[in-house]
């Protein structure tokens, strides 16, 4: 999907990237409209999703959006990520680089 701005083909079925001695997970971030019904919907798709009101993130969420950070270290990561990307109110999903 063109909403996902990083190469998901580099992620293993276990949700990891890297060589056998340096595997790591690839977190991702997106902006979610600050509306409880949207939050409930994405949390039903991924209950492990973290969300942060009033934090912009590198993706640049506005004051009317929640920054959401997901982690693909899950056997269902691809289904989860693609389900979130299909939501009309999600504009894009970027790779998250934590500080």
């Amino acid at each position: 999907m063109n909403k996902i701005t990083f190469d998901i083909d580099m992620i293993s079925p276990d949700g990891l990237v890297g060589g056998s001695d340096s595997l790591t997970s690839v977190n991702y971030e997106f902006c979610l409209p600050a509306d409880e019904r949207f939050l409930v919907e994405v949390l039903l798709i991924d209950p492990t999703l973290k969300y942060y009101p009033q934090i912009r993130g590198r993706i640049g969420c506005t004051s009317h959006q929640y920054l959401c950070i997901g982690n693909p270290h899950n056997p269902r990561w691809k289904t989860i990520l693609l389900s979130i990307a299909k939501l009309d109110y999600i504009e894009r999903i970027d790779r998250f680089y934590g500080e």
Side-chain angles (χ1 to χ4, degrees):
M1 302 197 75
N2 50 352
K3 288 184 184 181
I4 301 170
T5 64
F6 58 96
D7 183 8
I8 64 172
D9 292 332
M10 70 178 181
I11 304 172
S12 75
D14 295 326
L16 301 171
V17 296
S20 59
D21 61 339
S22 63
L23 291 173
T24 185
S25 63
V26 177
N27 293 339
Y28 53 88
E29 67 180 338
F30 60 92
C31 299
L32 178 72
D35 185 309
E36 198 67 27
R37 65 186 165 168
F38 299 138
L39 181 59
V40 167
E41 186 171 17
V42 295
L43 288 174
L44 285 172
I45 295 169
D46 183 2
T48 67
L49 193 70
K50 305 293 185 220
Y51 66 96
Y52 303 92
Q54 302 175 358
I55 295 179
R56 295 191 53 156
R58 289 183 187 211
I59 197 164
C61 298
T62 70
S63 61
H64 302 290
Q65 295 174 313
Y66 298 148
L67 169 66
C68 295
I69 299 175
N71 182 305
H73 190 52
N74 174 320
R76 295 184 48 248
W77 73 266
K78 196 168 195 174
T79 301
I80 291 168
L81 182 58
L82 293 175
S83 295
I84 292 170
K86 287 180 184 175
L87 298 171
D88 291 337
Y89 49 85
I90 302 300
E91 294 176 15
R92 79 176 201 262
I93 302 172
D94 291 350
R95 185 170 176 175
F96 172 77
Y97 297 92
E99 311 266 312

